[in-house]
Coordinates of all heavy atoms in Angstrom, one line a residue:
M1 N 0.8 -1.2 0.0 CA 0.0 0.0 0.0 C 0.9 1.3 0.0 O 0.5 2.3 -0.7 CB -0.9 0.0 1.2 CG -2.1 -1.0 1.1 SD -3.1 -0.6 -0.3 CE -4.4 -1.9 -0.2
T2 N 2.0 1.2 0.7 CA 2.9 2.4 0.8 C 3.4 2.7 -0.6 O 3.4 3.8 -1.1 CB 4.0 2.2 1.8 OG1 3.4 1.9 3.1 CG2 4.9 3.4 1.8
L3 N 3.9 1.6 -1.3 CA 4.4 1.8 -2.6 C 3.3 2.3 -3.6 O 3.6 3.2 -4.4 CB 5.0 0.5 -3.1 CG 5.6 0.5 -4.5 CD1 6.7 1.6 -4.6 CD2 6.1 -0.8 -4.9
L4 N 2.1 1.8 -3.4 CA 1.0 2.2 -4.3 C 0.7 3.7 -4.1 O 0.5 4.5 -5.0 CB -0.3 1.4 -4.0 CG -1.5 1.8 -4.7 CD1 -1.3 1.6 -6.2 CD2 -2.7 1.0 -4.3
G5 N 0.8 4.2 -2.8 CA 0.6 5.6 -2.5 C 1.7 6.5 -3.2 O 1.4 7.5 -3.7
L6 N 2.9 6.0 -3.0 CA 4.0 6.8 -3.6 C 3.9 6.8 -5.1 O 4.2 7.9 -5.8 CB 5.3 6.2 -3.2 CG 5.7 6.3 -1.7 CD1 6.9 5.5 -1.3 CD2 5.9 7.8 -1.3
L7 N 3.6 5.7 -5.7 CA 3.4 5.7 -7.2 C 2.3 6.6 -7.6 O 2.4 7.3 -8.7 CB 3.1 4.2 -7.7 CG 4.3 3.3 -7.7 CD1 3.8 1.8 -8.0 CD2 5.3 3.7 -8.7
G8 N 1.2 6.6 -6.9 CA 0.1 7.5 -7.2 C 0.5 8.9 -7.2 O 0.2 9.7 -8.1
L9 N 1.2 9.3 -6.1 CA 1.7 10.7 -6.1 C 2.7 11.0 -7.2 O 2.6 12.1 -7.8 CB 2.4 10.9 -4.7 CG 1.5 11.0 -3.5 CD1 2.3 11.1 -2.2 CD2 0.5 12.2 -3.6
M10 N 3.5 10.1 -7.5 CA 4.5 10.3 -8.6 C 3.8 10.5 -9.9 O 4.1 11.4 -10.7 CB 5.5 9.1 -8.7 CG 6.6 9.3 -9.7 SD 7.8 8.0 -9.7 CE 6.7 6.7 -10.5
I11 N 2.8 9.6 -10.2 CA 2.1 9.7 -11.5 C 1.3 11.1 -11.5 O 1.2 11.7 -12.6 CB 1.1 8.5 -11.6 CG1 1.9 7.2 -11.8 CG2 0.1 8.8 -12.8 CD1 1.1 6.0 -11.8
L12 N 0.8 11.5 -10.4 CA 0.0 12.7 -10.3 C 0.9 13.9 -10.7 O 0.5 14.8 -11.5 CB -0.6 12.9 -8.9 CG -1.4 14.2 -8.7 CD1 -2.6 14.2 -9.6 CD2 -1.9 14.2 -7.2
F13 N 2.1 13.9 -10.1 CA 3.0 15.0 -10.4 C 3.5 15.0 -11.8 O 3.7 16.1 -12.4 CB 4.2 15.0 -9.4 CG 3.8 15.6 -8.0 CD1 3.7 14.8 -6.9 CD2 3.6 17.0 -7.9 CE1 3.4 15.3 -5.7 CE2 3.2 17.5 -6.7 CZ 3.1 16.7 -5.6
I14 N 3.6 13.8 -12.4 CA 4.0 13.7 -13.8 C 2.9 14.3 -14.7 O 3.2 15.0 -15.6 CB 4.3 12.2 -14.2 CG1 5.6 11.8 -13.5 CG2 4.4 12.1 -15.7 CD1 5.9 10.3 -13.7
L15 N 1.7 14.0 -14.4 CA 0.5 14.5 -15.1 C 0.5 16.0 -15.0 O 0.2 16.7 -16.0 CB -0.8 13.9 -14.6 CG -1.0 12.4 -14.9 CD1 -2.2 11.9 -14.3 CD2 -1.1 12.2 -16.4
L16 N 0.7 16.5 -13.8 CA 0.7 18.0 -13.6 C 1.9 18.6 -14.4 O 1.7 19.7 -15.0 CB 0.8 18.3 -12.1 CG -0.4 17.9 -11.3 CD1 -0.1 18.3 -9.8 CD2 -1.6 18.6 -11.7
A17 N 3.0 18.0 -14.4 CA 4.2 18.5 -15.2 C 3.9 18.5 -16.7 O 4.4 19.4 -17.4 CB 5.4 17.7 -14.9
L18 N 3.0 17.6 -17.2 CA 2.6 17.5 -18.6 C 1.5 18.5 -18.9 O 0.9 18.5 -19.9 CB 2.2 16.1 -18.9 CG 3.3 15.1 -18.9 CD1 2.8 13.7 -19.1 CD2 4.4 15.4 -19.9
R19 N 1.1 19.3 -17.9 CA 0.1 20.4 -18.0 C -1.3 19.8 -18.1 O -2.2 20.4 -18.6 CB 0.4 21.3 -19.2 CG 1.8 21.8 -19.4 CD 2.3 22.5 -18.1 NE 1.6 23.8 -17.9 CZ 1.7 24.6 -16.9 NH1 2.6 24.2 -15.9 NH2 1.1 25.7 -16.8
M20 N -1.5 18.6 -17.5 CA -2.9 18.1 -17.4 C -3.7 18.9 -16.4 O -3.1 19.3 -15.4 CB -2.9 16.6 -17.0 CG -2.5 15.7 -18.1 SD -3.8 15.5 -19.3 CE -5.0 14.5 -18.3
P21 N -5.0 19.1 -16.6 CA -5.8 19.8 -15.6 C -5.7 19.1 -14.2 O -5.7 17.9 -14.1 CB -7.2 19.8 -16.1 CG -7.0 19.6 -17.6 CD -5.8 18.8 -17.8
V22 N -5.5 19.9 -13.2 CA -5.4 19.4 -11.8 C -6.5 18.5 -11.4 O -6.3 17.4 -10.9 CB -5.2 20.6 -10.8 CG1 -5.2 20.0 -9.4 CG2 -4.0 21.4 -11.1
A23 N -7.7 19.0 -11.6 CA -8.9 18.2 -11.2 C -8.9 16.8 -11.9 O -9.2 15.8 -11.3 CB -10.2 19.0 -11.5
L24 N -8.7 16.8 -13.2 CA -8.8 15.5 -14.0 C -7.6 14.6 -13.6 O -7.8 13.4 -13.5 CB -8.8 15.8 -15.5 CG -10.0 16.6 -16.0 CD1 -9.8 16.8 -17.5 CD2 -11.3 15.9 -15.7
S25 N -6.5 15.2 -13.3 CA -5.3 14.4 -12.9 C -5.6 13.7 -11.5 O -5.4 12.5 -11.4 CB -4.1 15.2 -12.7 OG -3.7 15.8 -14.0
M26 N -6.2 14.5 -10.6 CA -6.5 13.9 -9.3 C -7.6 12.9 -9.4 O -7.6 11.8 -8.7 CB -6.9 15.0 -8.3 CG -5.8 15.9 -7.9 SD -6.4 17.2 -6.8 CE -6.8 16.2 -5.4
L27 N -8.6 13.2 -10.2 CA -9.7 12.3 -10.4 C -9.3 10.9 -11.0 O -9.7 9.9 -10.5 CB -10.8 12.9 -11.4 CG -12.2 12.4 -11.3 CD1 -12.8 12.7 -10.0 CD2 -13.0 13.1 -12.4
G28 N -8.4 11.0 -12.0 CA -7.9 9.8 -12.6 C -7.1 8.9 -11.7 O -7.3 7.7 -11.6
V29 N -6.1 9.6 -11.0 CA -5.3 8.8 -10.1 C -6.1 8.3 -8.9 O -5.9 7.1 -8.5 CB -4.1 9.8 -9.6 CG1 -3.3 9.1 -8.5 CG2 -3.2 10.1 -10.7
G30 N -7.0 9.1 -8.4 CA -7.8 8.6 -7.3 C -8.7 7.4 -7.6 O -8.8 6.5 -6.9
F31 N -9.3 7.5 -8.8 CA -10.2 6.4 -9.3 C -9.4 5.1 -9.5 O -9.8 4.1 -9.0 CB -10.9 6.9 -10.6 CG -11.7 5.8 -11.2 CD1 -13.0 5.5 -10.7 CD2 -11.3 5.2 -12.4 CE1 -13.7 4.5 -11.3 CE2 -12.1 4.2 -13.0 CZ -13.3 3.9 -12.4
V32 N -8.4 5.2 -10.3 CA -7.6 4.0 -10.6 C -6.9 3.5 -9.4 O -6.9 2.2 -9.1 CB -6.6 4.3 -11.7 CG1 -5.7 3.0 -12.0 CG2 -7.3 4.7 -13.0
G33 N -6.4 4.4 -8.5 CA -5.7 3.9 -7.3 C -6.7 3.3 -6.3 O -6.3 2.3 -5.7
T34 N -7.9 3.8 -6.3 CA -8.9 3.1 -5.4 C -9.2 1.7 -5.8 O -9.3 0.8 -5.0 CB -10.2 4.0 -5.4 OG1 -9.9 5.3 -4.8 CG2 -11.3 3.3 -4.5
A35 N -9.3 1.5 -7.1 CA -9.6 0.2 -7.7 C -8.4 -0.8 -7.4 O -8.7 -1.9 -6.9 CB -9.8 0.3 -9.2
I36 N -7.2 -0.3 -7.6 CA -6.1 -1.2 -7.3 C -5.9 -1.5 -5.8 O -5.7 -2.6 -5.5 CB -4.8 -0.5 -7.9 CG1 -4.9 -0.4 -9.4 CG2 -3.5 -1.3 -7.5 CD1 -3.7 0.4 -10.0
A37 N -6.1 -0.5 -5.0 CA -5.9 -0.7 -3.6 C -7.0 -1.7 -3.0 O -6.6 -2.6 -2.2 CB -6.1 0.7 -2.8
N38 N -8.2 -1.5 -3.4 CA -9.2 -2.5 -3.0 C -9.0 -3.9 -3.5 O -9.3 -4.9 -2.8 CB -10.6 -1.9 -3.4 CG -11.1 -0.8 -2.4 OD1 -11.4 -1.1 -1.3 ND2 -11.2 0.4 -2.9

């Protein structure tokens, strides 16, 4: 779970660096991350 959280944050910051909208980046990472975690 710890590694999953770190990967989620890393992917989120990569998306932000690519100028993806903040809301959509968080939505995507949170949605996919919730599925994987469960």
Side-chain angles (χ1 to χ4, degrees):
M1 287 297 181
T2 302
L3 180 58
L4 178 61
L6 291 172
L7 284 174
L9 287 175
M10 184 178 71
I11 292 170
L12 180 60
F13 281 110
I14 290 173
L15 291 174
L16 293 176
L18 294 174
R19 313 303 294 176
M20 283 287 290
V22 174
L24 296 181
S25 299
M26 292 180 65
L27 201 62
V29 171
F31 174 72
V32 175
T34 298
I36 296 173
N38 281 290

